[in-house]
Amino acid sequence: MPEAEVPPTAKPPFERAPRHVAIIMDGNGRWAAARSLPRAEGHRRGVEALRRIIRAASEIGIRFITIFSFSAENWSRPANEVGELMGLLRRFIRNDLAELHRSGVQVRVIGERDGLDPDIGRLLVEAEELTKANDGLTLVVAFNYGSRQEITRAAQRIAEQVAEGSLKPADIGMETLGAFLDAPDIPDPDLIIRTSGEQRLSNFLLWQSAYSELVFVPTYWPDFDRAALEAAIREYQQRERRFGGLVAKTGS
Ligand code: IPE
Ligand code: IPE
Ligand code: MG
């Protein structure tokens, strides 16, 4: 058959899509400032970008996507901005949970639950409970998340087990610590993308990113779209992942 007549393939466009992509969704405020809009408008447009990227990730064949939506350090922002961000999370779960569930998305949440408004805590539990049997894309929402805090909580729980005598210090290995983190069953991210031009992790997945490929893009988060995601994945696919050895291992 001549090439032009080859029927469109049902295969996703990426043969070697990273299994787990984590995203630091940054630049909402600067997106708004560049348009003389309030920062809150940047955050609202950021939620629209998130919806697009969740859909695109499913279609591309990514299995896990982690999004950094509110950091443990973001409480230091002005109260009205913190309130706006909390309101957006509430609205996102209330408006989008049914649709995420219909599309087979499994929602997971990492981060500290203590100290959140009780209604937000309930919404997070509801999202996890409703979608826990879904086998499509896993969406990990990092909310009130800080990686050092997560590792510290893990260390405290390990210390409690040692104190009760159910764990011996000599038996604590890397896997033990990993097993006490917030989502121990989720594989480490293959690719971490940060938007907005900043080149730092800002206390995101420090343990889990030991061998992640990092891609920093100048785009502000509200402008990030499927094409930008695909470009980041293509960059990931050019990288040689050696994991300390001499031979490149295929990404996933
Ligand atoms: C990311 O955008 C959203 C959150 C951190 C919650 P920012 O609000 O950090 O936007 P910039 O960095 O000020 O542009
Ligand atoms: C990281 O962005 C947190 C989120 C994207 C939720 P920040 O904008 O808070 O990070 P810094 O302060 O510039 O490092
Ligand atoms: Mg920022």
Side-chain angles (χ1 to χ4, degrees):
M1 188 166 25
E3 212 175 308
E5 288 174 31
V6 173
T9 163
K11 258 195 291 181
F14 292 103
E15 297 273 325
R16 275 179 43 231
R19 185 158 62 139
H20 181 176
V21 177
I23 307 183
I24 303 173
M25 311 184 292
D26 198 12
N28 294 349
R30 279 163 287 165
W31 181 94
R35 288 158 182 79
S36 308
L37 294 169
R39 290 179 58 85
E41 185 56 25
H43 295 313
R44 284 193 283 274
R45 294 291 291 262
V47 176
E48 290 172 22
L50 174 61
R51 290 193 181 103
R52 284 199 298 274
I53 291 307
I54 293 171
R55 261 197 309 277
S58 287
E59 288 165 13
I60 288 169
I62 293 165
R63 300 289 304 134
F64 302 90
I65 186 161
T66 297
I67 48 137
F68 202 3
S69 68
F70 189 86
S71 80
E73 288 76 29
N74 286 148
W75 294 105
S76 62
R77 295 189 179 196
N80 67 336
E81 180 161 346
V82 170
E84 184 69 37
L85 290 165
M86 296 292 149
L88 279 175
L89 177 84
R90 284 187 185 95
R91 286 200 289 279
F92 177 70
I93 296 181
R94 289 196 189 120
N95 297 336
D96 289 50
L97 182 59
E99 172 60 26
L100 291 169
H101 183 45
R102 260 196 305 280
S103 338
V105 172
Q106 184 184 136
V107 179
R108 301 281 301 270
V109 183
I110 57 174
E112 177 63 66
R113 308 281 177 107
D114 286 355
L116 294 177
D117 284 352
D119 72 305
I120 290 193
R122 282 194 295 274
L123 283 170
L124 297 177
V125 171
E126 184 191 334
E128 289 191 305
E129 281 297 312
L130 179 71
T131 63
K132 69 179 176 202
N134 290 349
D135 60 4
L137 175 77
T138 298
L139 170 68
V140 184
V141 180
F143 190 77
N144 193 20
Y145 177 83
S147 188
R148 287 182 168 180
Q149 292 83 342
E150 180 189 32
I151 293 168
T152 305
R153 286 195 301 277
Q156 281 171 353
R157 292 207 293 271
I158 290 171
E160 281 162 16
Q161 295 213 348
V162 170
E164 311 160 343
S166 53
L167 185 64
K168 291 200 201 69
D171 291 337
I172 299 171
M174 289 190 287
E175 322 69 48
T176 323
L177 206 136
F180 280 85
L181 296 177
D182 291 350
D185 52 321
I186 307 271
D188 289 344
D190 300 294
L191 167 62
I192 298 182
I193 301 170
R194 184 171 188 148
T195 59
S196 88
E198 305 298 347
Q199 303 195 358
R200 56 177 170 268
L201 287 174
S202 301
N203 201 15
F204 185 50
L205 303 180
L206 301 180
W207 176 271
Q208 299 87 336
S209 64
Y211 273 102
S212 304
E213 296 297 331
L214 309 181
V215 171
F216 299 104
V217 299
T219 317
Y220 293 144
W221 174 250
D223 288 331
F224 197 77
D225 59 9
R226 181 181 178 140
L229 176 64
E230 292 185 352
I233 292 174
R234 275 194 296 276
E235 178 161 349
Y236 162 85
Q237 288 169 327
Q238 314 280 308
R239 306 270 179 94
E240 270 195 7
R241 302 186 76 190
R242 299 193 202 99
F243 298 95
L246 296 180
V247 183
K249 303 234 181 23
T250 49
S252 55

